[in-house]
Amino acid sequence: MSNWFETNPTKSIISYTILIIGVVWVFYKFTFEESKIDNYKSQIETKQATISQFQARIEYLEEENLKFKSELKDYEDWNSKSENPTLFYKSQYEKTILTRDNSVKTNISKNTDLKNIKISKSESYINKDLDIIIGLTDVSVNYGCFLNISYGNSLNINFENKNIGDTILLESNKGKIKVTINKVNYVYSNIEISIHI
């Protein structure tokens, strides 16, 4: 066999080169290509999780829509049977305005905590005593929330992708205040916070 290599150096170099190329190709195929496949699989799993979250949200919104339709039908029936529906709607509107005003004017003494304040997307929490406004602009799929906070002289500060357990420290001439994210709910598009003075 060694005589063949000595007598055919060109053929032996070509065969060694082909052998090395084959080994390198097999190594590349099983390392880099497999890692690409694994990467694609993880991306697909992430997308499937996102789709399932969207589906859960759609199902919830469809249920809410059905409830609203049934309530609307009840109101329409009540309207058709009532002699003066305007008085009913006016009283309900006044009750709603009064409850909103009471929720805004929360009297808080020093060294007290406000816990379990729920804020829905595109709504804001207003506390005149603390001079703070907290607005929830969005809730992301990975359960992060995007807030817009005004406190004291600091107006419209954006806080992006805050997660459960994150604390936002605010300082102004009014004093120090801590806002803690307690719960983030992507399906219902709301969060729950605590304010510590």
Side-chain angles (χ1 to χ4, degrees), residues 52-176:
S52 66
Q53 288 177 344
F54 277 126
Q55 285 174 338
R57 195 172 190 176
I58 288 167
E59 287 171 7
Y60 165 75
L61 292 173
E62 285 175 347
E63 288 175 10
E64 289 294 309
N65 194 20
L66 289 173
K67 286 180 191 173
F68 287 136
K69 281 183 179 177
S70 67
E71 286 178 12
L72 183 63
K73 179 141 180 45
D74 291 341
Y75 281 117
E76 286 172 350
D77 291 343
W78 187 83
N79 259 349
S80 64
K81 294 174 185 173
S82 177
E83 293 178 8
N84 193 356
T86 310
L87 291 176
F88 171 75
Y89 289 120
K90 185 178 177 185
S91 65
Q92 290 300 318
Y93 176 74
E94 288 171 354
K95 283 180 190 175
T96 306
I97 294 298
L98 287 173
T99 54
R100 280 189 189 163
D101 285 346
N102 289 337
S103 66
V104 168
K105 296 175 183 174
T106 48
N107 294 319
I108 301 160
S109 60
K110 285 288 180 184
N111 299 324
T112 59
D113 294 339
L114 286 171
K115 295 183 179 177
N116 303 327
I117 299 166
K118 190 177 277 189
I119 307 172
S120 295
K121 183 179 173 181
S122 302
E123 290 183 357
S124 60
Y125 167 78
I126 302 169
N127 189 308
K128 291 181 180 177
D129 294 333
L130 294 176
D131 195 18
I132 188 169
I133 301 170
I134 303 171
L136 177 63
T137 55
D138 201 5
V139 179
S140 65
V141 179
N142 61 352
Y143 292 92
C145 61
F146 296 79
L147 301 169
N148 184 304
I149 299 177
S150 297
Y151 176 60
N153 296 328
S154 303
L155 300 176
N156 297 326
I157 305 169
N158 290 316
F159 296 91
E160 296 187 354
N161 210 19
K162 292 293 178 183
N163 296 310
I164 298 167
D166 287 353
T167 299
I168 300 167
L169 180 63
L170 305 168
E171 294 185 42
S172 76
N173 56 358
K174 293 273 185 182
K176 291 183 180 180

Side-chain angles (χ1 to χ4, degrees), residues 2-51:
S2 61
N3 291 340
W4 184 85
F5 287 117
E6 289 173 5
T7 56
N8 300 305
T10 307
K11 289 181 181 177
S12 63
I13 289 172
I14 291 171
S15 62
Y16 279 131
T17 306
I18 291 171
L19 179 68
I20 290 170
I21 289 171
V23 169
V24 168
W25 182 82
V26 168
F27 177 75
Y28 170 78
K29 182 73 175 169
F30 285 105
T31 54
F32 294 109
E33 292 296 321
E34 289 295 322
S35 66
K36 276 185 185 177
I37 291 170
D38 291 341
N39 186 20
Y40 290 138
K41 282 181 182 175
S42 66
Q43 287 179 4
I44 289 168
E45 288 171 2
T46 305
K47 296 292 181 190
Q48 286 175 340
T50 306
I51 288 167

